[in-house]
Amino acid sequence: MKRLWKRCGHAPGAASPEDQATVDQVRAMLTALRNTEPWAPGSTRDIAVRIGPFIERAHPRPGDDHGPDVIAVALVHPDTGHAAAYLHGRRLRYTERGWLRCETSAILGFWQPGYALLTHAAANLPLPDDLGMEPAHYGVHVEARQADGTGYTLLRLGPYFQTWVASHDADHLNTELAGRAATVLPGFTVTAKNTLFDLSNHESYTDPYLTDVPALLADALAGARRTAA
């Protein structure tokens, strides 16, 4: 990555605080690049991922890796944890991207503060529309549970592109279930919850868009009653 560094217009002599801060940042960046910490699957530590010529900080989504090739991540501002970082990150589109599918080949290693100088945020650039990552979508599971906690999943809906849509459908289904709780499925408590879309099990999901979600629930319950009869 090419960067243009320009010394502030101060007289020769001791470096100004601004110049020294820049020198320290560059040294930290070079140290981080020379001493990468290899990423390990299953870790919850933040990672450094390549986005075009830039490097970004990302949160992995625990438990959502699919073999050695893909994990789910959320890109975050390099200074996440500070109030100013949230405002800057919002302006640069960090907060609106949601969970994304990240190929593990794009992971440089675990995040180090020295990488911050190589981010879009450091260049004061918004994240691009095309990140080279597909959304890691959401789902709704309708589950039947007995008093001892055993049970099974009656229906899986997804993928949803926005979590609020999944939450809306889960609330809608729970309202339907509450209205006929005694007759839904004898011996079971049936509830709907919004959750993460399981990419590795995508064949078991029903697309919720352009369909009658309560009708899907009714069909699933009818099938469960026939099986239990």
Side-chain angles (χ1 to χ4, degrees):
M1 179 188 299
K2 294 182 179 180
R3 295 283 189 189
L4 298 177
W5 303 105
K6 184 170 69 173
R7 181 181 170 86
C8 298
H10 297 288
S16 70
E18 293 85 358
D19 289 341
Q20 188 60 52
T22 298
V23 170
D24 291 343
Q25 284 182 306
V26 174
R27 285 175 176 167
M29 175 192 71
L30 295 175
T31 299
L33 290 173
R34 284 195 300 264
N35 300 282
T36 58
E37 290 188 69
W39 168 74
S43 174
T44 59
R45 288 178 57 188
D46 284 359
I47 57 176
V49 299
R50 298 180 183 88
I51 305 293
F54 294 86
I55 294 174
E56 294 294 341
R57 181 178 179 179
H59 289 323
R61 190 160 74 186
D64 193 34
D65 47 10
H66 305 283
D69 300 323
V70 179
I71 65 172
V73 302
L75 298 181
V76 295
H77 191 280
D79 296 328
T80 288
H82 301 282
Y86 175 79
L87 296 175
H88 192 220
R90 186 181 182 90
R91 182 168 63 82
L92 298 181
R93 304 177 64 190
Y94 281 83
T95 60
E96 65 185 50
R97 309 318 291 261
W99 292 102
L100 302 165
R101 298 290 177 198
C102 174
E103 295 184 3
T104 55
S105 59
I107 299 173
L108 183 65
F110 287 117
W111 175 260
Q112 299 181 53
Y115 295 134
L117 207 60
L118 303 175
T119 62
H120 287 81
N124 206 30
L125 294 173
L127 291 176
D129 291 332
D130 184 7
L131 294 170
M133 300 179 181
E134 296 296 325
H137 298 314
Y138 308 91
V140 170
H141 291 180
V142 179
E143 297 181 344
R145 290 284 178 265
Q146 294 178 307
D148 61 1
T150 60
Y152 58 98
T153 302
L154 283 170
L155 178 66
R156 292 180 176 89
L157 300 173
Y160 290 87
F161 306 117
Q162 294 175 297
T163 186
W164 73 267
V165 180
S167 295
H168 175 272
D169 275 4
D171 290 344
H172 189 183
L173 292 176
N174 281 323
T175 299
E176 291 277 330
L177 291 165
R180 44 179 175 167
T183 60
V184 167
L185 196 59
F188 290 84
T189 299
V190 182
T191 55
K193 64 177 183 179
N194 59 306
T195 185
L196 305 176
F197 180 75
D198 184 358
L199 180 66
S200 61
N201 196 26
H202 64 89
E203 299 92 348
S204 68
Y205 285 79
T206 300
D207 188 341
Y209 292 95
L210 302 179
T211 59
D212 185 343
V213 172
L216 292 175
L217 174 63
D219 289 344
L221 290 172
R225 294 191 197 99
R226 286 194 296 270
T227 300

